[in-house]
Amino acid sequence: MARIVMKFGGTSVANLDRIRAVSAIVKREVDAGHSVAVVVSAMAGETNRLVGLCREAGEPAPSLDARDVEYDAVVASGEQVTSGLLAIVMQNLGYRARSWHGWQIALRTDNAHGKARIESVDEEALGSAIDGGEVAVVAGFQGIAPDGRIATLGRGGSDTSAVALAAAIGADRCDIYTDVDGVYTTDPRLTKHARRIDKISFEEMLEMASLGAKVLQTRSVELAMAYKVPVRVLSSFDPPDAPGPGTLICDEDDIVEKNIVTTVTPDFDEATVTILAVPDEPGRAAGIFDALAAANINIDMIVQSSSREAGFANISFTTKEIDLERAVDVLAEQQPTIGFKALQSDRNVAKVSVIGVGMKSHAGVAATMFRTLAEKGINIQNISTSEIKISVLINADAAEYAVRVLHEAYGLDEPGNPART
Amino acid sequence: MARIVMKFGGTSVANLDRIRAVSAIVKREVDAGHSVAVVVSAMAGETNRLVGLCREAGEPAPSLDARDVEYDAVVASGEQVTSGLLAIVMQNLGYRARSWHGWQIALRTDNAHGKARIESVDEEALGSAIDGGEVAVVAGFQGIAPDGRIATLGRGGSDTSAVALAAAIGADRCDIYTDVDGVYTTDPRLTKHARRIDKISFEEMLEMASLGAKVLQTRSVELAMAYKVPVRVLSSFDPPDAPGPGTLICDEDDIVEKNIVTTVTPDFDEATVTILAVPDEPGRAAGIFDALAAANINIDMIVQSSSREAGFANISFTTKEIDLERAVDVLAEQQPTIGFKALQSDRNVAKVSVIGVGMKSHAGVAATMFRTLAEKGINIQNISTSEIKISVLINADAAEYAVRVLHEAYGLDEPGNPART
């Protein structure tokens, strides 16, 4: 008998037919003798509806800011509804089941409403409930902040709820059910050669999540890695009696055959800003990035190059498309202080990354990437690397092609590759 | 500076335009220097939507029964949303405001989920918040039960939340804003002579609420009476700077000019059951009403009359239309035990009541009623009385006419009557 946390996202609980399908999957695990806690998201569309109401209530103010506490109180109700409905359906199947809201568990967070971080989980009541045979249906995405108010964990936060619960109750596994049947070598919409991965390491998954792969929220992967919680990504649309194998996200050491490159991950949500002719003096770059940080704008891929004019440099960086306008506004405001000549921006860029723990021990991975792209005539605007990732910034129009050629170049097109057991 | 509780029902907060209109009314009271707690219902239609989801989740089980705990957890989310939205709108107007859910106050109830009774209100945090200038926006209809779960107070429960809060914080008044501008001498849809009442006693209002008048939940009036909370019924659709006087529900002693009859109240939601030829022996009637009570069917207006056959009696009673079918089923099952001959039922009946505290000290009120109806050829099937109420059961087709003639007979058609100051 194992302790299992199962998480179902918005499309998996989109309506009562879907919730009934989910109940059959939960039933399978309970009937197998496991202690089961289920974490649910809001029904698909519900969070957007609630966010829309909050935005409308907040008008004409441009954003909610200080009102995030109320935003949380409103938006968290979506998960509350799903958890109660699934509990009712499970009871109807003859199981003892109850819903748990964030404050009831209690899942304690910090005070950063709207994007709170989990600080602790009181697992005692929940753990003994599920060991006593009760199905615990937990409202995801929410906890209780030190101010006694409901706090939400940010979009995708139910993944994080599930992993945090799994860590707290020492779950044997945390199964994330979604609308895809696992993690793929690349976006299957871009190439028919994309393949489901059997096992992927926490580090690789973390890189993918950071790059905007929608499978798992970044923080949920961080938590899973920190607490060594094995996470499986599975489809809730498989028949409950014949589930697919999914993808296991686990410690690197639990992966016997390590691929050099495991995934090719595109990110279309990128934009570049280039600041021309910044005086080449100490503190100028700091001034730029301080101003951007103060405006809470995340930046990435910074490159400084010398300007044609002596004593000046060009600085360019990438940011998320959604932040571009604000970034340009912030810099324009700072122009007198920073003293640059001009600003350029470009939305028509994409970041393509190759990720693989095998890179740590293999040379030539970057060379393969650059050579492959060069041979296909794809120009690289910018490069950034980590220990297990190489990212290039290219023209957005070339990105899909780049994904396909890189997928082939690293052998990912071949059946059985990545072969991991 | 007074402490005021304001309550807004579902139609008053039906959408964000309505919520903004409500915020203007709240603003008026806060700007007048009062400490204000606002109790809100779910947006119109939202509770029905959530109840529908629960029912659908509960299928094929006929009712929710043991699942009421989850029903409460789901349905209470409607008020949670409204309270957050109104808090955001008030903040946008420059006020400090926050939402309070039932468990945050804490408003403690018994364990009777779905129709819980309030046991206590921890008023300290709430009271000091509003005295400190914060607008408290309280999610109505909900509290926290001894099992640590959310409990709802039954339909119309937000009225009860408001009165209980008013009692707990010693509010100077409790203003119930709704879609009518006060309590009327009778349903204005039945006669153009219906008049708004300036003041009505708790007892009268309680009789009206018990008879199904939709203005206030019965329990809210009981609470107001028990704790002597002056309650005003007002329209939220009046301009915020020119509110109508509404109707004050107060102690009988605070009403100087007491009318003999204050209201004529019809109740169309009635049905009769007649049990023919019950053996006239001790315990037979008890057997009937025990069986109905065990099935949780409320009955009213019991009449026993002798049967044509010696040694047998006929027993008839009224019940709510919604319970009729179940009542007939329960009795049919008990036929062998009780030993009656036949059952008759009739949905085409209505109860018309005249209510007035003045009856206590005036004779002839019943005689006026019976004579008036007799003169108009309206046959009385059944009569029941309390100290301040006389009800007759008549054919439903005659009920509107009966209301009009009684309204006139007791002088309620005349302007200034009821005149209460």
Side-chain angles (χ1 to χ4, degrees):
Chain A
M1 187 176 112
R3 277 181 167 182
I4 296 177
V5 174
M6 308 171 77
K7 182 259 170 178
F8 296 90
T11 53
S12 299
V13 293
N15 52 48
L16 274 161
D17 282 341
R18 290 298 314 145
I19 291 175
R20 287 203 186 87
V22 161
S23 73
I25 301 173
V26 174
K27 175 176 157 40
R28 182 190 69 218
E29 300 292 355
V30 178
D31 290 352
H34 300 310
S35 299
V36 175
V38 186
V39 176
V40 290
S41 298
M43 294 162 86
E46 192 57 12
T47 301
N48 285 341
R49 184 181 75 88
L50 294 166
V51 169
L53 282 172
C54 287
R55 293 236 168 96
E56 205 184 328
E59 283 171 4
S63 78
L64 287 175
D65 298 337
R67 288 179 281 273
D68 284 351
V69 180
E70 297 306 334
Y71 168 99
D72 281 357
V74 171
V75 176
S77 68
E79 281 72 17
Q80 179 173 334
V81 170
T82 320
S83 61
L85 293 178
L86 180 56
I88 292 172
V89 171
M90 290 306 302
Q91 288 170 355
N92 237 10
L93 293 175
Y95 296 85
R96 283 196 297 123
R98 72 156 278 193
S99 66
W100 294 78
H101 301 169
W103 59 272
Q104 290 173 326
I105 292 175
L107 191 152
R108 295 178 196 286
T109 71
D110 61 15
N111 262 329
H113 282 276
K115 48 180 195 300
R117 296 184 78 94
I118 298 172
E119 301 209 317
S120 70
V121 179
D122 301 350
E123 54 79 36
E124 211 176 291
L126 192 75
S128 64
I130 64 171
D131 287 347
E134 190 176 87
V135 179
V137 188
V138 176
F141 179 61
Q142 62 184 272
I144 180 166
D147 58 8
R149 310 289 304 272
I150 293 171
T152 64
L153 310 176
R155 277 296 169 113
S158 293
D159 294 337
T160 307
S161 301
V163 174
L165 272 188
I169 65 173
D172 299 271
R173 32 174 236 270
C174 179
D175 291 347
I176 308 280
Y177 285 85
T178 178
D179 50 4
V180 294
D181 67 348
V183 180
Y184 275 69
T185 50
T186 193
D187 186 336
R189 287 168 299 187
L190 302 187
T191 164
K192 62 174 198 274
H193 299 295
R195 317 189 73 81
R196 187 183 49 74
I197 302 166
D198 283 328
K199 288 185 180 181
I200 190 169
S201 70
F202 292 123
E203 290 86 349
E204 288 167 328
M205 197 64 223
L206 196 57
E207 290 283 6
M208 284 185 73
S210 313
L211 289 167
K214 299 276 184 288
V215 186
L216 286 175
Q217 198 201 26
T218 307
R219 262 184 282 163
S220 71
V221 185
E222 287 171 355
L223 263 185
M225 184 158 71
Y227 292 96
K228 306 262 185 215
V229 178
V231 173
R232 275 204 308 170
V233 174
L234 297 149
S235 171
S236 71
F237 292 80
D238 285 341
D241 53 351
T247 295
L248 182 68
I249 305 158
C250 58
D251 206 82
E252 190 185 327
D253 296 340
D254 297 328
I255 302 173
V256 180
E257 276 194 52
K258 290 176 189 66
N259 281 79
I260 298 173
V261 166
T262 308
T263 73
V264 180
T265 304
D267 184 358
F268 292 95
D269 185 23
E270 294 280 319
T272 55
V273 176
T274 305
I275 311 167
L276 295 170
V278 181
D280 200 0
E281 293 163 11
R284 297 291 174 153
I288 290 168
F289 295 110
D290 281 352
L292 293 167
N296 208 14
I297 296 166
N298 275 320
I299 56 122
D300 185 28
M301 290 184 121
I302 305 168
V303 174
Q304 176 161 343
S305 55
S306 55
S307 169
R308 286 181 190 179
E309 245 175 298
F312 291 88
N314 298 335
I315 295 178
S316 76
F317 61 88
T318 63
T319 184
K320 293 289 157 196
E321 243 185 301
I322 197 174
D323 287 332
L324 177 62
E325 202 171 325
R326 231 155 34 88
V328 169
D329 288 350
V330 165
L331 291 173
E333 246 172 54
Q334 297 289 320
Q335 185 162 21
T337 324
I338 304 169
F340 57 87
K341 293 268 162 63
L343 274 180
Q344 290 173 348
S345 65
D346 186 2
R347 289 172 184 275
N348 194 34
V349 292
K351 185 160 66 172
V352 176
S353 307
V354 298
I355 299 169
V357 282
M359 278 184 213
K360 292 183 192 175
S361 50
H362 281 76
V365 179
T368 301
M369 187 174 197
F370 304 153
R371 190 183 60 243
T372 304
L373 294 174
E375 280 171 8
K376 304 297 183 183
I378 298 167
N379 188 40
I380 299 174
Q381 301 180 20
N382 219 326
I383 298 167
S384 73
T385 60
S386 79
E387 207 184 9
I388 63 164
K389 181 198 75 174
I390 306 164
S391 300
V392 295
L393 195 77
I394 60 177
N395 189 296
D397 302 329
E400 295 196 13
Y401 182 50
V403 166
R404 282 194 290 270
V405 297
L406 291 171
H407 198 267
E408 190 192 354
Y410 288 106
L412 297 175
D413 282 6
E414 296 156 35
N417 201 2
R420 291 182 150 183
T421 47
Chain B
M1 188 178 111
R3 276 180 167 183
I4 296 177
V5 174
M6 310 172 76
K7 183 258 169 180
F8 295 90
T11 52
S12 299
V13 293
N15 52 48
L16 273 161
D17 283 341
R18 289 297 314 144
I19 292 175
R20 288 203 185 87
V22 161
S23 73
I25 300 173
V26 174
K27 175 176 157 43
R28 181 190 69 217
E29 300 291 353
V30 178
D31 290 352
H34 300 310
S35 299
V36 175
V38 186
V39 176
V40 290
S41 298
M43 295 162 87
E46 191 59 11
T47 301
N48 284 341
R49 184 182 76 88
L50 294 165
V51 169
L53 283 172
C54 287
R55 293 235 168 99
E56 204 184 330
E59 283 170 4
S63 78
L64 287 176
D65 298 336
R67 287 178 281 273
D68 286 350
V69 180
E70 296 307 333
Y71 168 99
D72 281 356
V74 171
V75 176
S77 67
E79 282 72 17
Q80 181 173 332
V81 170
T82 320
S83 61
L85 293 178
L86 179 55
I88 292 171
V89 171
M90 291 305 303
Q91 288 170 355
N92 238 11
L93 293 176
Y95 295 86
R96 280 195 301 123
R98 72 155 277 195
S99 66
W100 293 79
H101 301 168
W103 59 272
Q104 289 173 327
I105 292 176
L107 189 151
R108 295 180 196 284
T109 70
D110 60 15
N111 261 329
H113 283 277
K115 47 180 194 303
R117 295 184 78 95
I118 297 172
E119 302 210 316
S120 70
V121 178
D122 302 349
E123 54 77 36
E124 209 176 293
L126 192 76
S128 65
I130 64 172
D131 287 346
E134 191 175 86
V135 179
V137 188
V138 176
F141 178 61
Q142 62 184 270
I144 180 166
D147 58 9
R149 310 290 302 273
I150 293 172
T152 64
L153 311 176
R155 276 297 168 111
S158 293
D159 293 338
T160 308
S161 300
V163 174
L165 272 186
I169 66 172
D172 298 270
R173 37 175 233 270
C174 179
D175 291 346
I176 308 281
Y177 285 85
T178 177
D179 49 5
V180 294
D181 67 349
V183 180
Y184 275 69
T185 51
T186 192
D187 187 336
R189 286 168 300 185
L190 303 187
T191 165
K192 62 174 197 277
H193 299 296
R195 316 188 74 81
R196 188 183 48 74
I197 302 166
D198 281 329
K199 288 184 179 180
I200 190 170
S201 71
F202 291 125
E203 289 87 349
E204 289 167 326
M205 196 64 221
L206 196 55
E207 290 283 5
M208 285 186 71
S210 311
L211 289 168
K214 299 275 185 288
V215 186
L216 285 175
Q217 198 201 27
T218 306
R219 263 184 282 163
S220 71
V221 185
E222 287 171 355
L223 263 184
M225 185 158 72
Y227 292 95
K228 307 257 183 217
V229 178
V231 173
R232 276 203 307 169
V233 174
L234 297 149
S235 171
S236 71
F237 292 79
D238 285 340
D241 53 350
T247 295
L248 183 68
I249 304 157
C250 59
D251 206 82
E252 193 186 322
D253 297 339
D254 296 329
I255 302 174
V256 179
E257 277 193 54
K258 290 176 189 66
N259 282 78
I260 299 174
V261 165
T262 309
T263 73
V264 179
T265 306
D267 184 359
F268 292 95
D269 186 23
E270 294 282 319
T272 55
V273 176
T274 305
I275 311 168
L276 294 170
V278 181
D280 198 1
E281 294 162 11
R284 297 290 173 153
I288 290 168
F289 295 110
D290 282 352
L292 293 167
N296 209 14
I297 296 166
N298 276 319
I299 55 124
D300 186 26
M301 290 186 125
I302 304 167
V303 173
Q304 177 163 343
S305 55
S306 55
S307 170
R308 289 181 189 178
E309 246 176 296
F312 290 88
N314 298 334
I315 295 177
S316 76
F317 60 87
T318 62
T319 185
K320 291 290 158 197
E321 243 185 300
I322 197 173
D323 287 334
L324 178 63
E325 202 172 326
R326 231 151 38 86
V328 169
D329 288 349
V330 165
L331 291 174
E333 245 172 55
Q334 296 289 319
Q335 185 162 21
T337 323
I338 304 168
F340 57 86
K341 294 266 161 67
L343 274 179
Q344 290 174 346
S345 65
D346 186 3
R347 289 173 184 275
N348 195 34
V349 291
K351 186 160 67 174
V352 176
S353 308
V354 297
I355 300 169
V357 283
M359 277 185 215
K360 292 183 193 175
S361 51
H362 281 76
V365 179
T368 301
M369 186 174 200
F370 304 152
R371 190 183 58 243
T372 304
L373 294 174
E375 281 170 9
K376 303 297 182 182
I378 298 168
N379 188 41
I380 298 174
Q381 300 179 21
N382 220 327
I383 299 167
S384 74
T385 60
S386 78
E387 205 184 12
I388 63 164
K389 181 198 74 174
I390 307 164
S391 300
V392 295
L393 194 75
I394 60 176
N395 190 295
D397 302 330
E400 294 195 13
Y401 182 50
V403 165
R404 282 193 292 269
V405 297
L406 291 172
H407 198 266
E408 190 191 354
Y410 289 106
L412 297 174
D413 280 7
E414 296 156 34
N417 201 2
R420 292 181 148 182
T421 45

